[in-house]
Amino acid sequence: MLQKSKVSYDVIVVGSGASGGWAAKRLSEAGLSVALLEAGRVLRDDETLAFTELLDVIGIDYQGFANTWEGRRYAAVYNLLSIRHNCRVRVRVFCADDGFPAVDSVIGLWPSANWYEREAFDLFGIVFKGHPDLRRILTDYGFVGHPFRKDFPVSGYVEMRYDPEQKRVIYQPVTIEPREIIPRVIREENYGGLK
């Protein structure tokens, strides 16, 4: 079934079995490290599984997660559907390097992953190796950074505005000053008829 691989991914599969109960299987337990593409091929091609539909690819940044997370920072989560068996499975793959998060592209297995992987790249900076057209899809081409990362500032780095003198849209550093919102309580004497 699954063979040992030279590529060491932490692939975790979580899904519902035929009995309706939840089952979890860590494919890298007991020294068995499997590549994402190998696990995906088994999930798609094995007749007892038949996960032929990829529903979504989600990027996750675990930095500061519940203040207890000590694992790898970035993960890509693949939601798969088996129409034949009427069940779903979630495959989570952690990126090996937090400085340059990258995983293999699954477009060869599920072509619907194309735009989903581009979205995860654009918003989280996860690089999908082997993707034929990995470029930004939701942010502007000149956008700096990845806005769904936990360390990205809420106000961003630059803002865009129309300049009437130059008659075009220009980028400039953010002019919004961060502020703390402190609720103020105003109390009046005899409020509501109370003494």
Side-chain angles (χ1 to χ4, degrees):
M1 181 131 167
L2 294 176
Q3 302 294 322
K4 287 191 177 183
S5 172
K6 294 178 185 176
V7 182
S8 177
Y9 286 106
D10 191 7
V11 180
I12 300 171
V13 178
V14 179
S16 61
S19 64
W22 286 94
K25 171 89 175 167
R26 181 181 291 266
L27 296 177
S28 60
E29 285 179 352
L32 178 64
S33 294
V34 295
L36 170 63
L37 296 178
E38 183 182 351
R41 197 168 290 111
V42 169
L43 288 168
R44 184 192 67 183
D45 297 340
D46 189 329
E47 292 298 319
T48 61
L49 301 172
F51 288 98
T52 56
E53 302 295 323
L54 180 127
L55 302 176
D56 198 6
V57 178
I58 304 163
I60 299 178
D61 181 358
Y62 283 102
Q63 181 183 26
F65 180 73
N67 295 324
T68 59
W69 186 258
E70 295 180 7
R72 296 179 183 154
R73 179 174 173 183
Y74 298 103
V77 177
Y78 300 85
N79 291 315
L80 306 174
L81 170 67
S82 173
I83 296 173
R84 181 180 301 153
H85 302 297
N86 191 23
C87 62
R88 297 170 187 258
V89 71
R90 181 176 301 134
V91 179
R92 182 173 57 179
V93 181
F94 286 93
C95 302
D97 183 11
D98 290 344
F100 184 74
V103 296
D104 292 329
S105 175
V106 296
I107 289 181
L109 297 172
W110 297 285
S112 63
N114 188 354
W115 285 43
Y116 299 132
E117 289 181 351
R118 286 181 60 189
E119 180 184 32
F121 164 72
D122 191 7
L123 300 177
F124 289 95
I126 298 172
V127 175
F128 292 89
K129 297 181 282 189
H131 192 285
D133 187 24
L134 194 61
R135 59 188 162 109
R136 293 194 180 270
I137 192 170
L138 295 173
T139 59
D140 190 28
Y141 292 113
F143 192 86
V144 177
H146 303 283
F148 281 11
R149 287 187 174 185
K150 300 273 179 84
D151 55 1
F152 190 82
V154 173
S155 60
Y157 296 112
V158 295
E159 63 186 13
M160 188 170 73
R161 70 172 179 85
Y162 179 76
D163 188 359
E165 294 174 2
Q166 298 181 22
K167 297 184 179 179
R168 66 181 184 94
V169 174
I170 62 168
Y171 290 94
Q172 65 186 30
V174 175
T175 58
I176 300 171
E177 294 182 20
R179 61 184 178 149
E180 288 186 32
I181 300 176
I182 301 172
R184 295 186 332 183
V185 178
I186 300 173
R187 303 202 189 268
E188 298 176 6
E189 291 184 33
N190 298 326
Y191 178 76
L194 300 174
K195 294 184 181 181

